[in-house]
Amino acid sequence: MSKSLIIVVVIALILGMYGCSSYNGLVQNDTVVQEKWAQVQTQYQRRSDLIPNLVRTVQGAANFEKSTLTAVIQARANATGINLNADQLTPENIKKFQAAQDQLSGSLSRLLAVAESYPQLKATQNFSELQAQLEGTENRISVARNDFNGAVRVYNQSVRSFPNNIFAGIFGFPVKGFFEASQAAQSAPTVQF
C-alpha cells in the first residue's frame, strides 16, 4: 500500500469517528431537550387538570361573574388545544404554545382576583386547597420552563458550534426555541399608595 492511501484512510477514519461522536452528542442533547419538554407538558397538564375543580368550586359562589368563568374555560380549551411534540419545538411553535398558556394564566389571575370579592368563597377549604395547589403548580411550571431553557441552550450551542453545525445540518438537528417572558411581564406594575 502506498503511503498516501494509508494517510487518506486514516484521515477518513478520524473524520468518521468524529462524525459519529458529534452525531451521538447531538442525539444526547436532543434527548435531554425532549425530556425537559415532557416535564414542561406534565406541569401544564397538572394546571389544566386543576382548573375544572377550581371552576366547579367557584361556580358554587352566589352571583359569581359568569364571564370570568367562561374566559377561564375558553382559555383552558385554547391552551390544551396546542399540542407540540419535541420535534416541533421551533421558536414560532414555542411562541404559539406560550401565548395560549399566557392567556390561560391571565384568565386564572382574573378569576383569583375576582374571587377576593367573595369572602364566603375564600373561606371554603376546597377553594383554599385548590388555590394553594395552583400556586404550587405555577412554581413547578416556572422550574420546568427554566430547566427546559437550560437544555435548549446546551442543545443549540452544540447545533450551532463548528464543526457540529455541519453534522447537525446533514442529520437534521434544527435550532430549538426558548420560552421567553410574556409581554405582560416586560413592564413592572405601577404601585400607588
Side-chain angles (χ1 to χ4, degrees):
M1 267 202 219
S2 75
K3 214 177 208 184
S4 60
L5 180 62
I6 292 173
I7 291 173
V8 169
V9 169
V10 168
I11 290 173
L13 284 173
I14 290 172
L15 287 175
M17 289 182 345
Y18 185 78
C20 289
S21 175
S22 292
Y23 177 80
N24 289 338
L26 292 168
V27 168
Q28 182 181 13
N29 289 338
D30 187 51
T31 302
V32 171
V33 169
Q34 290 175 22
E35 173 195 353
K36 298 301 182 184
W37 179 247
Q39 291 173 4
V40 167
Q41 288 182 311
T42 298
Q43 297 310 321
Y44 276 121
Q45 184 61 49
R46 176 181 164 79
R47 177 175 74 173
S48 183
D49 291 345
L50 287 172
I51 292 171
N53 294 333
L54 186 64
V55 168
R56 279 193 295 278
T57 301
V58 171
Q59 280 177 331
N63 300 323
F64 197 84
E65 286 84 353
K66 300 291 183 208
S67 62
T68 304
L69 291 175
T70 303
V72 169
I73 292 167
Q74 182 60 45
R76 179 183 182 265
N78 293 343
T80 57
I82 297 178
N83 295 314
L84 298 177
N85 64 40
D87 296 331
Q88 299 171 318
L89 298 178
T90 63
E92 298 80 24
N93 285 343
I94 291 287
K95 284 183 183 180
K96 288 178 190 173
F97 181 84
Q98 185 174 350
Q101 295 299 332
D102 288 346
Q103 179 188 11
L104 179 56
S105 294
S107 295
L108 283 172
S109 294
R110 284 188 296 281
L111 174 71
L112 294 175
V114 170
E116 293 291 322
S117 303
Y118 292 86
Q120 76 277 14
L121 176 61
K122 286 176 42 179
T124 66
Q125 182 178 354
N126 194 25
F127 180 77
S128 296
E129 288 174 2
L130 287 169
Q131 189 174 12
Q133 287 180 23
L134 195 58
E135 290 169 0
T137 300
E138 292 296 333
N139 289 336
R140 289 178 182 182
I141 288 170
S142 177
V143 169
R145 284 172 53 153
N146 286 337
D147 290 348
F148 173 79
N149 279 349
V152 168
R153 179 187 48 77
V154 170
Y155 170 85
N156 285 347
Q157 283 175 339
S158 68
V159 166
R160 296 174 62 205
S161 299
F162 182 80
N164 281 357
N165 61 347
I166 296 168
F167 297 108
I170 292 170
F171 295 117
F173 288 92
V175 170
K176 298 197 185 287
F178 290 96
F179 275 106
E180 298 174 7
S182 68
Q183 291 299 326
Q186 297 297 324
S187 58
T190 303
V191 179
Q192 295 180 354
F193 294 101

